[in-house]
Amino acid sequence: MVPFGGWDMPVEYSGLISEHMAVRKAAGLFDVSHMGEFEVEGPGAQAFLQRVTSNDVAKLSDGQAQYSALPMPNGAPVDDVIVYRRAEGRYLVVVNAGNIEKDFRWLQDQKPQECTLTNRSDSYALVALQGPRAQEILQPLTALDLSALKFYHFADTTVESHPVTVSRTGYTGEDGFEIFVSPGHVEAFWKRLLDAGREKGLVPAGLGARDTLRLEARMCLYGQDMDETTTLVEAGLGWIVSLDEAKGDFPGRAVLAEQKKNGPPRKLVGFEVTGRGIARHGYPVLVHDERVGEVTSGTYAPFLQKNIGLCYVPTPRAGVGTEIAIDIRERKVTARVVPTPFYKRPDKAKAASPSTLTTA
């Protein structure tokens, strides 16, 4: 157990690699109750969210979710978020655990009008069931037709008579569901899911596997791969920046528009270590012996059986195949820029790509 975002969180249960492989081949269950939840409600809710988020909230229909961010005037994110539209004038915004207080202050400072902004983080527990067998495990417990629930959509339902909200999102690169449950019921719900899925290979999974899984899928971690000094375009998240005229103005719009048009000065790229060693967060990145940045995320990828990572490099050095080096404890180890995501699930071609969420 380790401190994380003000919570005590499990790094692993049975072992990081075994948990990682279970999610890739069967299913894993994550306790993500540390995430924050804000409710934005009232006739001005959509207009408020339009001027404080980067994506186009107006394109959401009831029961649809959208990956987005809270941009600052410099084009960098206060946080990355998921916006859920429950109904007209009723939204739920899910934020990162370590940013709950900061995000809430930021949104309050944007002066919400004709709507209320409420921090309801203590009213929600959240578990994530991820993996190719997730639907098979969850379906017998609910009357909701999970096959009809599209990617980045959600529905209110019951699981064995207890009210829940089931969302088809995730942070692992696999299919799966994130399930909002009342805090008083979550322990029993967790145990029931594990019992239901045990014979199908379901295991509890901790922060360690969550990090290696999301990195294989090239999903950014706030505070490492992006922060208040990295623009959304630099981080490769230009697809969640809407510049439609109907979207209107929002913090950082001009900066992000210029970078989308002319390119950013640097880019977040994926790399594969070709020498011997594992690149870790903070290790210097070199091009021709000149330090050009540092590793934002790096690990041994259990499914791919490769050492991979993310780092920022000057845009001219961001092309696939570019040779770089990682300074691993004063030892220069060779690496090269590779396409991302590093891992793509076998049925990905049949599912919606996250990039479609810009027009969803």
Side-chain angles (χ1 to χ4, degrees):
M1 303 291 287
V2 296
F4 183 86
W7 295 67
D8 286 329
M9 297 290 293
V11 175
E12 59 185 8
Y13 292 85
S14 54
L16 187 156
I17 292 179
S18 63
E19 292 166 22
H20 182 112
M21 296 303 291
V23 174
R24 289 281 180 253
K25 295 184 175 182
L29 188 62
F30 301 83
D31 180 358
V32 288
S33 299
H34 58 297
M35 302 294 283
E37 291 87 11
F38 302 157
E39 291 178 351
V40 183
E41 299 185 343
Q46 178 177 298
F48 173 65
L49 290 172
Q50 281 288 64
R51 62 182 177 85
V52 298
T53 65
S54 62
N55 215 332
D56 191 349
V57 181
K59 292 184 178 179
L60 289 175
S61 57
D62 294 354
Q64 192 171 16
Q66 182 184 72
Y67 183 49
S68 190
L70 306 178
M72 302 170 62
N74 65 352
V78 175
D79 201 1
D80 62 326
V81 302
I82 299 180
V83 178
Y84 294 77
R85 175 173 161 139
R86 290 194 175 278
E88 184 176 357
R90 292 185 59 221
Y91 295 86
L92 183 72
V93 181
V94 176
V95 305
N96 285 300
N99 292 338
I100 293 174
E101 293 183 4
K102 180 185 74 167
D103 291 355
F104 194 70
R105 286 195 304 269
W106 172 262
L107 289 172
Q108 284 182 313
D109 289 344
Q110 306 311 301
K111 298 179 174 57
Q113 298 173 2
E114 296 185 38
C115 63
T116 59
L117 169 67
T118 309
N119 182 359
R120 292 290 305 279
S121 301
D122 292 341
S123 300
Y124 292 91
L126 186 59
V127 297
L129 176 63
Q130 296 282 300
R133 304 192 75 176
Q135 180 174 317
E136 180 185 350
I137 292 166
L138 183 59
Q139 187 62 83
L141 304 181
T142 180
L144 177 68
D145 180 4
L146 296 176
S147 65
L149 191 66
K150 297 178 182 178
F151 186 56
Y152 263 71
H153 284 69
F154 66 98
D156 294 328
T157 184
T158 59
V159 172
E160 297 191 332
S161 77
H162 194 85
V164 300
T165 298
V166 178
S167 175
R168 196 162 209 153
T169 58
Y171 193 55
T172 62
E174 297 296 337
D175 188 20
F177 307 92
E178 291 190 321
I179 308 159
F180 297 85
V181 192
S182 67
H185 185 69
V186 68
E187 184 178 349
F189 181 73
W190 170 273
K191 292 177 179 177
R192 182 68 184 93
L193 274 177
L194 286 177
D195 288 342
R198 186 168 287 110
E199 292 185 356
K200 297 178 175 65
L202 177 64
V203 302
L207 284 177
R210 188 167 168 85
D211 193 50
T212 54
L213 288 159
R214 68 91 191 166
L215 182 53
E216 281 189 341
R218 203 262 185 224
M219 293 181 174
C220 292
L221 175 63
Y222 190 87
Q224 287 189 192
D225 306 309
M226 57 179 169
D227 57 28
E228 295 183 2
T229 69
T230 58
T231 75
L232 291 169
V233 176
E234 289 175 335
L237 295 175
W239 59 273
I240 66 168
V241 176
S242 174
L243 300 176
D244 291 350
E245 186 176 345
K247 160 71 173 173
D249 197 18
F250 57 88
R253 179 186 172 112
V255 173
L256 294 168
E258 192 278 330
Q259 289 191 353
K260 289 188 78 170
K261 180 180 179 181
N262 299 315
R266 59 178 180 165
K267 290 184 178 180
L268 184 67
V269 299
F271 65 85
E272 179 182 321
V273 177
T274 53
R276 293 177 59 87
I278 299 177
R280 301 292 188 188
H281 171 69
Y283 285 6
V285 175
L286 311 172
V287 175
H288 301 314
D289 294 327
E290 177 187 358
R291 179 169 178 161
V292 296
E294 64 181 34
V295 176
T296 59
S297 290
T299 190
Y300 169 72
F303 185 82
L304 301 174
Q305 297 184 355
K306 297 177 180 179
N307 296 325
I308 62 172
L310 297 173
C311 67
Y312 284 93
V313 296
T315 296
R317 302 291 184 181
V320 170
T322 299
E323 298 292 330
I324 61 175
I326 312 298
D327 186 339
I328 301 179
R329 300 187 185 91
E330 299 184 356
R331 183 170 58 91
K332 189 168 68 172
V333 177
T334 57
R336 67 169 178 268
V337 177
V338 296
T340 57
F342 304 98
Y343 166 84
K344 188 179 292 186
R345 72 177 190 254
D347 65 339
K348 190 70 172 178
K350 301 177 183 178
S353 165
S355 63
T356 65
L357 299 183
T358 53
T359 57

